[in-house]
Coordinates of all heavy atoms in Angstrom, one line a residue:
A4 N 12.3 0.1 -4.9 CA 11.2 -0.5 -5.6 C 10.4 0.6 -6.3 O 10.0 0.5 -7.5 CB 10.3 -1.3 -4.6
A5 N 10.1 1.7 -5.7 CA 9.4 2.8 -6.3 C 10.1 3.4 -7.5 O 9.5 3.7 -8.5 CB 9.1 3.9 -5.3
A6 N 11.5 3.6 -7.3 CA 12.2 4.1 -8.5 C 12.2 3.2 -9.6 O 12.1 3.6 -10.8 CB 13.6 4.3 -7.9
C13 N 6.2 4.5 -19.1 CA 6.6 5.0 -20.5 C 6.9 6.5 -20.7 O 7.7 7.0 -21.5 CB 5.5 4.8 -21.5 SG 5.1 3.0 -21.6
W19 N 4.3 6.0 -10.9 CA 3.3 4.9 -10.7 C 2.2 5.3 -9.6 O 1.2 4.7 -9.5 CB 3.9 3.7 -10.4 CG 4.6 3.6 -9.1 CD1 5.9 4.0 -8.8 CD2 4.0 3.2 -7.8 NE1 6.1 3.8 -7.4 CE2 5.0 3.3 -6.8 CE3 2.8 2.8 -7.4 CZ2 4.8 3.1 -5.5 CZ3 2.5 2.5 -6.1 CH2 3.5 2.6 -5.1
T23 N -4.0 10.8 -5.8 CA -4.8 10.7 -4.4 C -4.0 10.0 -3.4 O -4.4 10.1 -2.2 CB -6.1 10.0 -4.7 OG1 -5.9 8.8 -5.3 CG2 -7.0 10.9 -5.6
S25 N -0.4 9.9 -3.3 CA 1.0 10.2 -3.2 C 1.4 10.7 -1.8 O 2.5 10.3 -1.3 CB 1.3 11.4 -4.2 OG 0.6 12.6 -3.8
S29 N 4.4 8.7 0.4 CA 5.5 9.4 1.0 C 5.5 9.1 2.6 O 6.6 8.9 3.1 CB 5.3 10.9 0.8 OG 5.4 11.2 -0.5
A30 N 4.4 9.1 3.2 CA 4.4 8.8 4.6 C 4.8 7.4 4.8 O 5.6 7.1 5.8 CB 3.0 9.0 5.2
R32 N 7.0 5.6 3.1 CA 8.3 5.5 2.8 C 9.2 6.0 4.0 O 10.4 5.7 4.2 CB 8.8 6.4 1.6 CG 8.3 5.8 0.3 CD 8.6 6.7 -0.9 NE 8.3 6.0 -2.1 CZ 8.3 6.6 -3.3 NH1 8.4 7.9 -3.4 NH2 7.9 5.9 -4.4
F42 N 2.4 -1.2 -3.8 CA 1.8 -1.3 -5.1 C 0.3 -0.9 -5.0 O -0.2 -0.9 -3.8 CB 1.9 -2.7 -5.9 CG 1.1 -3.8 -5.1 CD1 -0.1 -4.2 -5.5 CD2 1.7 -4.5 -4.0 CE1 -0.8 -5.2 -4.9 CE2 1.0 -5.5 -3.4 CZ -0.3 -5.9 -3.8
R49 N -1.4 -1.2 -1.3 CA -1.1 -2.5 -0.8 C 0.5 -2.7 -0.7 O 1.2 -1.9 -1.3 CB -1.6 -3.7 -1.7 CG -3.0 -3.7 -2.1 CD -4.0 -4.0 -1.0 NE -3.7 -5.3 -0.3 CZ -4.1 -6.5 -0.7 NH1 -4.9 -6.7 -1.8 NH2 -3.9 -7.6 0.1
P54 N 9.6 -7.6 -4.6 CA 9.4 -6.6 -5.6 C 8.2 -7.0 -6.6 O 7.6 -6.1 -7.2 CB 10.7 -6.6 -6.4 CG 11.4 -7.8 -6.1 CD 11.0 -8.3 -4.8
E60 N 7.7 -14.8 -5.5 CA 8.5 -13.6 -5.6 C 8.1 -12.5 -4.6 O 8.7 -11.5 -4.5 CB 8.3 -13.0 -7.0 CG 8.7 -13.9 -8.1 CD 8.7 -13.2 -9.5 OE1 9.0 -12.0 -9.6 OE2 8.2 -13.9 -10.4
L64 N 0.9 -8.5 1.8 CA 0.5 -8.3 3.3 C -1.0 -8.1 3.3 O -1.6 -7.6 2.4 CB 1.2 -7.1 3.8 CG 2.7 -7.1 3.7 CD1 3.3 -5.8 4.4 CD2 3.3 -8.3 4.5
S67 N -4.8 -3.1 3.4 CA -4.8 -2.1 2.3 C -5.2 -0.8 2.9 O -5.9 -0.8 4.0 CB -5.8 -2.7 1.3 OG -7.1 -2.6 1.8
T72 N -14.2 8.8 0.5 CA -14.9 10.0 -0.1 C -14.9 11.2 0.8 O -15.0 12.2 0.2 CB -16.4 9.6 -0.4 OG1 -17.0 9.2 0.8 CG2 -16.5 8.4 -1.5
D73 N -14.7 11.0 2.0 CA -14.6 12.1 2.9 C -13.1 12.6 3.1 O -12.9 13.5 3.8 CB -15.2 11.8 4.3 CG -14.4 10.7 5.1 OD1 -13.4 10.1 4.4 OD2 -14.7 10.3 6.2
R75 N -10.6 10.9 4.3 CA -9.9 10.2 5.2 C -9.4 8.9 4.7 O -9.9 8.3 3.8 CB -10.8 10.0 6.5 CG -11.3 11.3 7.1 CD -12.2 11.0 8.2 NE -11.4 10.7 9.4 CZ -12.0 9.9 10.3 NH1 -13.2 9.6 10.4 NH2 -11.3 9.7 11.4
Q81 N -7.2 -7.4 5.0 CA -7.6 -7.8 3.7 C -6.8 -9.1 3.3 O -5.6 -9.2 3.6 CB -7.4 -6.8 2.7 CG -7.9 -7.1 1.3 CD -7.9 -5.9 0.4 OE1 -7.9 -4.8 0.9 NE2 -8.0 -6.1 -0.8
R86 N -10.3 -10.4 -0.7 CA -11.4 -10.5 0.2 C -11.2 -9.8 1.5 O -10.1 -9.7 2.0 CB -11.8 -12.0 0.5 CG -12.2 -12.8 -0.8 CD -12.5 -14.2 -0.4 NE -11.2 -14.9 0.1 CZ -11.1 -15.6 1.1 NH1 -12.2 -15.9 1.9 NH2 -10.0 -16.2 1.4
A94 N -10.9 5.0 10.4 CA -10.3 5.9 9.4 C -9.3 6.8 10.0 O -9.5 7.1 11.2 CB -11.4 6.7 8.7
T97 N -4.8 11.5 8.6 CA -3.5 12.0 7.9 C -2.8 10.8 7.3 O -3.1 9.6 7.8 CB -2.6 12.6 8.9 OG1 -2.1 11.7 9.9 CG2 -3.1 13.9 9.6
P98 N -2.0 11.0 6.3 CA -1.2 9.8 5.8 C -0.3 9.2 6.8 O -0.2 7.9 6.9 CB -0.3 10.5 4.7 CG -1.2 11.7 4.3 CD -1.8 12.2 5.6
A99 N 0.3 9.9 7.7 CA 1.1 9.3 8.8 C 0.3 8.5 9.7 O 0.8 7.4 10.1 CB 1.9 10.4 9.5
A103 N 0.6 4.5 10.5 CA 0.8 3.9 11.8 C -0.3 2.9 12.0 O 0.0 1.8 12.7 CB 0.7 5.0 12.8
R107 N 0.4 -1.0 13.1 CA -0.3 -1.7 14.3 C -1.1 -2.8 13.9 O -1.1 -3.9 14.6 CB -1.2 -0.7 15.0 CG -0.5 0.4 15.8 CD -1.5 1.2 16.7 NE -2.6 1.8 16.1 CZ -2.6 3.0 15.4 NH1 -1.5 3.6 15.3 NH2 -3.7 3.4 14.7

Side-chain angles (χ1 to χ4, degrees):
C13 299
W19 65 272
T23 56
S25 62
S29 295
R32 288 176 174 168
F42 67 97
R49 306 284 312 269
E60 297 185 40
L64 300 180
S67 70
T72 56
D73 62 356
R75 300 176 77 203
Q81 185 167 343
R86 291 179 297 135
T97 66
R107 283 192 309 276

